């Protein structure tokens, strides 16, 4: 059994010089640092632009004024502490405010700043809401990382959700397969729990977050296979991150590797304009072009991802680009009137978010063909 050591102070990263540590402390006072020795071991320290380094080691650019902490206004969909209900059939439970490391580009870094403010420890009130709302067929456990909870605690939550008849899918959003696969490999109880609650009719989905192919190590693949054999369904989502995966060759390699190991690429997200995230931001149109180029030479199985932004109003896919226009389409919409709606805007190469598009040319919904 391997023991992975967690680091919570930048001082503990022995590969950084004293000068670097002193400088970066200014960043970590604002946005917390957390890593572990397994993950830091993936970094090539000779390369100042190593993608894993960029993902986990703070950088001074994070102090640049930009964006806001809750860029998708999750607050407005919060029903009670820890429970968000944005789309009719899906509820989110924020069950933890810690992760296997803190991604520097995290869109929920506010949870690590205001520890305990939004995360629920006792889910009973939230589960009662889900019980009362029969339209909820999907529950997503998220945070933070639910797999950082003790297995008994996680099982206690999953067991209670499974008892709610109308909930079909339980999703666990977790980066632990990438951050620390030993969390899965070394815990037979976790595997047993998945076997028990991912049933023939009602599956447990694990939404992985591999951001770069270098994270898909032999140990990570072993953890993936243990989860698959236990009966979980896996799918991967990642933002497009400057300095990590925002070039088409890296993204293409990621898609290919994911398809080889049986983890379908699900969403590639436009990075939210979150405070501290300027160094990782890629303009929407540039990002879409990278995405299109990345899927050009991969098999159909490797190109199942959609490029979308998790906007306050819904999940909006970038559906096309012409010389003058950009076309968006609602994949998921909070307001049913927006469901499936197309929106055509005049292009803006400097846009980082939907709100940066000012000239709406047209919007329409394609009607279902009548039988
Ligand atoms: S794993 Fe997710 S919640 Fe945790 S730091 Fe990374 S992006 Fe944020």
């Amino acid at each position: 059994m391997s023991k992975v050591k967690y680091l919570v102070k930048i001082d503990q990263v022995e590969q950084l010089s004293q000068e670097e540590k002193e400088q970066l402390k200014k960043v970590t006072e604002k946005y917390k640092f957390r890593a572990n020795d397994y993950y830091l071991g993936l970094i090539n320290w000779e390369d100042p632009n190593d993608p894993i380094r960029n993902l986990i080691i703070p950088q001074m650019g994070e102090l640049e004024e930009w964006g806001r902490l809750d860029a998708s206004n999750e607050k407005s969909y919060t029903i009670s502490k820890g429970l968000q209900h944005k789309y009719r059939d899906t509820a989110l439970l924020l069950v933890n405010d810690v992760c296997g490391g803190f991604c520097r580009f995290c869109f929920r870094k506010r949870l690590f700043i205001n520890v305990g403010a939004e995360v629920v420890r006792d889910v009973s009130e939230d589960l009662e809401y889900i019980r009362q709302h029969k339209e909820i067929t999907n529950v997503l456990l998220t945070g933070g990382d639910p797999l950082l909870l003790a297995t008994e605690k996680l099982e206690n939550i999953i067991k209670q959700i499974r008892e709610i008849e109308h909930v079909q899918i339980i999703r666990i959003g977790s980066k632990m397969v990438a951050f620390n696969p030993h969390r899965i490999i070394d815990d037979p109880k976790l595997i047993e729990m998945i076997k028990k609650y991912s049933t023939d009719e009602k599956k447990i989905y694990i939404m992985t977050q591999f951001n770069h192919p270098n994270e898909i190590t032999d140990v990570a693949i072993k953890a993936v296979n243990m989860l698959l054999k236990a009966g979980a369904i896996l799918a991967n989502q990642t933002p497009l991150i400057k300095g990590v995966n925002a070039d088409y060759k890296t993204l293409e390699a990621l898609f290919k590797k994911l398809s080889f190991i049986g983890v379908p690429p699900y969403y590639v997200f436009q990075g939210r304009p979150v405070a501290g995230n300027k160094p990782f931001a890629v303009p929407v149109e540039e990002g879409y072009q990278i995405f299109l180029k990345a899927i050009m030479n991969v098999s159909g199985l490797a190109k199942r991802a959609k490029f979308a932004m998790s906007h306050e109003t819904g999940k909006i896919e970038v559906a096309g680009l012409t010389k003058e226009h950009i076309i968006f389409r609602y994949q998921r919409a909070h307001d049913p009137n927006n469901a499936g709606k197309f929106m055509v805007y005049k292009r803006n190469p400097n846009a980082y978010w939907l709100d940066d598009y000012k000239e709406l040319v047209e919007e329409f919904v394609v009607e279902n063909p009548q039988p």
Side-chain angles (χ1 to χ4, degrees):
M1 183 178 283
S2 77
K3 194 89 190 108
V4 170
K5 199 174 123 226
Y6 282 91
L7 291 75
V8 291
K9 289 196 175 123
I10 198 74
D11 276 337
Q12 295 168 294
V13 184
E14 53 197 34
Q15 293 88 346
L16 294 173
S17 69
Q18 200 49 40
E19 198 189 339
E20 283 172 309
K21 289 178 191 173
E22 285 308 320
Q23 267 213 326
L24 295 180
K25 267 186 207 165
K26 292 187 197 111
V27 182
T28 59
E29 276 161 18
K30 195 162 183 194
Y31 304 120
K32 277 194 192 161
F33 167 76
R34 184 176 161 91
N36 67 66
D37 56 0
Y38 162 81
Y39 197 70
L40 293 180
L42 305 183
I43 297 174
N44 170 11
W45 292 95
E46 303 294 312
D47 176 4
N49 290 316
D50 181 87
I52 304 297
R53 180 187 176 125
N54 287 340
L55 194 153
I56 197 80
I57 301 293
Q59 44 185 286
M60 296 308 285
E62 292 175 40
L63 295 177
E64 196 178 322
E65 283 297 321
W66 200 66
R68 52 194 193 277
L69 275 174
D70 185 5
S72 299
N73 200 5
E74 293 192 300
K75 194 163 177 250
S76 65
Y77 297 108
T78 299
I79 304 291
S80 51
K81 196 174 177 189
L83 174 71
Q84 293 180 22
H85 191 191
K86 180 171 180 178
Y87 307 121
R88 201 174 176 274
D89 52 8
T90 306
L92 256 72
L93 281 177
L94 273 63
V95 293
N96 203 358
D97 47 20
V98 71
C99 294
F102 288 151
C103 309
R104 302 313 304 170
F105 53 81
C106 178
F107 69 97
R108 282 213 188 108
K109 55 179 63 163
R110 62 180 199 277
L111 298 191
F112 318 137
I113 297 172
N114 301 312
V115 176
E118 293 182 56
V119 163
V120 69
R121 304 278 173 222
D122 173 4
V123 290
S124 27
E125 190 187 334
D126 295 347
L127 291 185
E128 191 46 41
Y129 176 91
I130 295 172
R131 256 179 230 115
Q132 302 294 330
H133 286 75
K134 299 219 171 347
E135 70 277 17
I136 296 176
T137 57
N138 280 259
V139 175
L140 168 60
L141 301 181
T142 181
D145 201 314
L147 289 189
L148 258 263
L149 290 177
T151 299
E152 293 73 26
K153 276 196 183 156
L154 185 61
E155 175 156 9
N156 180 39
I157 299 172
I158 289 182
K159 178 175 178 288
Q160 294 183 71
I161 301 175
R162 265 291 167 258
E163 284 164 3
I164 306 175
E165 190 115 347
H166 54 269
V167 176
Q168 312 290 331
I169 288 174
I170 299 174
R171 272 185 273 182
I172 302 173
S174 175
K175 192 175 160 68
M176 285 309 275
V177 192
F179 267 152
N180 174 13
H182 297 284
R183 162 69 184 94
I184 292 135
I185 293 169
D186 295 345
D187 186 3
K189 277 193 190 152
L190 177 72
I191 297 301
E192 280 313 307
M193 191 266 286
I194 290 170
K195 274 189 192 154
K196 189 168 169 190
Y197 295 103
S198 190
T199 66
D200 286 353
E201 287 85 22
K202 294 181 169 194
K203 295 294 180 196
I204 291 184
Y205 279 67
I206 300 193
M207 315 311 293
T208 61
Q209 194 198 151
F210 288 111
N211 305 118
H212 189 280
N214 289 2
E215 295 177 321
I216 309 179
T217 61
D218 291 347
V219 212
I221 293 173
K222 187 173 175 189
V224 161
N225 277 297
M226 287 174 76
L227 294 169
L228 288 172
K229 282 183 192 150
I233 308 286
L234 271 63
N236 191 74
Q237 42 195 27
T238 174
L240 198 70
I241 316 146
K242 191 167 159 191
V244 177
N245 62 16
D247 67 274
Y248 83 92
K249 285 224 150 101
T250 303
L251 205 57
E252 177 185 310
L254 178 66
F255 290 158
K256 283 185 177 166
K257 225 167 164 181
L258 285 168
S259 71
F260 299 158
I261 64 167
V263 181
Y266 175 49
Y267 275 114
V268 173
F269 287 113
Q270 170 66 14
R272 303 181 202 199
V274 168
N277 285 7
K278 184 75 211 308
F280 312 103
V282 185
V284 176
E285 291 166 24
E286 188 186 327
Y288 183 57
Q289 281 163 312
I290 293 169
F291 173 79
L292 283 186
K293 223 166 161 185
I295 58 173
M296 202 100 86
N297 293 314
V298 303
S299 78
L301 293 171
K303 64 168 98 185
R304 284 180 277 175
K306 294 192 161 48
F307 182 61
M309 71 181 95
S310 257
H311 188 257
E312 182 178 344
T313 57
K315 208 159 268 154
I316 303 173
E317 182 189 356
V318 182
L321 203 58
T322 69
K323 280 205 171 86
E324 287 184 26
H325 300 121
I326 181 162
I327 303 153
F328 295 104
R329 180 177 174 270
Y330 275 95
Q331 270 290 323
R332 305 279 280 148
H334 171 67
D335 177 350
N337 292 323
N338 283 335
K341 186 166 88 177
F342 284 89
M343 295 174 294
V344 182
Y345 281 91
K346 192 116 198 268
R347 278 181 69 164
N348 173 6
N350 300 315
Y352 286 89
W353 206 235
L354 181 73
D355 309 38
D356 298 329
Y357 286 95
K358 304 295 180 198
E359 289 184 61
L360 180 66
V361 178
E362 101 177 273
E363 52 182 0
F364 57 92
V365 176
V366 178
E367 296 297 334
N368 285 335
Q370 295 302 313

